[in-house]
Amino acid sequence: MDGLLIRPMRPDEISIAVNWAAAEGWNPGLSDDACFAAADPQGFFIGEFEGAPAATVSCVNYGAHFAFLGFYIVRQDLRGRGFGLQLWNAAIARAGPRVIGLDGVVAQQQNYRKSGFEFAYANVRYGGTLAQPDLPPVGVIALSEVPLATVEAYDASVFPAPRTAFLRAWIGSPDHVGRAVMRDGGLAGWGVIRPCRQGRKIGPLVADDRATAELVLSALLAGAGGGEIFLDVPGINRDAIAMAQDLGLAPVFETARMYTGATPPLRLERVFGVTTFELG
C-alpha cells in the first residue's frame, strides 16, 4: 500500500549500502562490498520507493545455525514511514530459525529487544594515530602463507559459524594486508588491516594473548604503514582494552553486540579486534 518494493540486492548494488554506511559515519573499508558479497550473495536487501533506493539491510546466513544482521539504514528523508520495519522484518524472516547477531547503535537496544535480541557485551571502537615501525617484527609471516583450513580452525574459536568464502575474500583482497604468527606448529595469532574511507581498520585481530596480538599489530603497521588507525575491541576483553589504551588510542564509537537465543560460547579473550560491525 505504501509502495515499498523489497528485493535482494545484486552484488554490484551492495555498494549502495556501503556508501550509505559511510554517510552515517561508519567508515567502511574500500573493498568491503566485494568481500561482503562473497559471504552470502543473497543476504543483502534493498527497499525501493518510487523507483529509488529507500532503505537497506543485510542478514548474512552463516551455515544452518547462525546469521548476522547489519546495514540497517533508512534514507534520511524517508524515515518515520515504517519502511525500516518492513525491511527489518524481511531480514529477520530470511534468518529463519538461526541465532542472529548484530552490532547495534547503543540507543536502539530497546527496539532490538522487541525482536528478541538480548545484550551480550559492548564493542568499542578505538581510534588514533600510530607510527609505522622502523623494522618489521621478527617471527611474523604473511597470512596468505597459512593454509586457509588452519585460519578457519582458529576463526571457529572466535566466530559462531564457518565463513570460508568470506575469509578467502577478506584475506585475498588486493588492498588488505594480513599477517600471522605460528608457534609450536600451530597458529597463535593473525590479523588483517585494510584501507577505509578514513584511515585504516585492523580487523580481525585475534591471538592467544596480548603479547602475540601486539606482535601481529606491529607487523600489520609495518606492512601497510602507520597513520590513522581504528580498532574495534570487545569491551569485556580487558587485555584488548588495555592494549588499545596503552597504544594511545581513544574510544570514538560504541556498539551493543546482541543476539537472539543464547550467546555463542566464544573465546573472546582471543579477540583483540572485531572483523566488522556489519558482518560480525
Side-chain angles (χ1 to χ4, degrees):
M1 292 176 63
D2 54 28
L4 186 71
L5 172 66
I6 298 174
R7 62 172 178 82
M9 291 183 182
R10 299 186 305 271
D12 63 292
E13 292 178 312
I14 297 175
S15 59
I16 296 172
V18 174
N19 289 334
W20 283 13
E24 294 290 328
W26 299 353
N27 194 26
L30 299 184
S31 298
D32 281 4
D33 50 348
C35 294
F36 291 172
D40 181 1
Q42 299 300 311
F44 298 81
F45 295 87
I46 189 165
E48 294 178 323
F49 178 67
E50 295 182 345
T56 64
V57 73
S58 63
C59 190
V60 169
N61 287 343
Y62 292 106
H65 304 291
F66 184 71
F68 202 89
L69 193 147
F71 286 118
Y72 182 45
I73 310 171
V74 179
R75 210 173 78 197
Q76 194 164 11
D77 62 307
L78 295 175
R79 292 175 184 175
R81 302 180 61 163
F83 291 166
L85 181 59
Q86 292 181 59
L87 208 57
W88 171 274
N89 289 338
I92 296 294
R94 183 172 194 273
R98 296 171 179 84
V99 171
I100 309 172
L102 62 77
D103 274 305
V105 178
V106 174
Q108 293 296 319
Q109 286 183 68
Q110 284 302 119
N111 285 333
Y112 300 142
R113 284 196 177 97
K114 295 175 183 177
S115 294
F117 287 86
E118 293 296 336
F119 178 82
Y121 54 87
N123 281 320
V124 184
R125 175 163 295 169
Y126 282 82
T129 301
L130 298 179
Q132 182 177 16
D134 294 332
L135 295 171
V138 177
V140 184
I141 63 175
L143 183 57
S144 58
E145 296 179 23
V146 181
L148 183 61
T150 302
V151 177
E152 285 185 283
Y154 199 105
D155 191 58
S157 72
V158 298
F159 193 78
R163 47 179 177 173
T164 303
F166 172 75
L167 288 173
R168 183 181 292 113
W170 199 250
I171 294 168
S173 182
D175 59 352
H176 291 196
V177 173
R179 295 291 183 265
V181 173
M182 302 293 292
R183 187 175 296 133
D184 299 326
L187 185 57
W190 58 281
V192 174
I193 187 170
R194 72 194 197 278
C196 297
R197 303 296 177 93
Q198 177 183 345
R200 295 181 176 89
K201 285 182 184 175
I202 295 175
L205 177 60
V206 289
D208 290 351
D209 50 53
R210 175 177 170 176
T212 306
E214 290 174 337
L215 187 62
V216 174
L217 187 148
S218 180
L220 292 172
L221 293 175
E228 190 171 22
I229 300 296
F230 298 95
L231 184 66
D232 300 331
V233 180
I236 59 176
N237 185 339
R238 294 183 179 180
D239 283 345
I241 293 290
M243 183 189 77
Q245 293 174 341
D246 290 346
L247 287 168
L249 303 178
V252 296
F253 183 65
E254 182 175 321
T255 69
R257 173 60 65 90
M258 305 181 77
Y259 295 100
T260 60
T263 300
L266 303 176
R267 297 284 301 276
L268 292 175
E269 76 278 5
R270 289 180 166 182
V271 181
F272 290 80
V274 178
T275 306
T276 82
F277 285 160
E278 292 78 26
L279 267 71

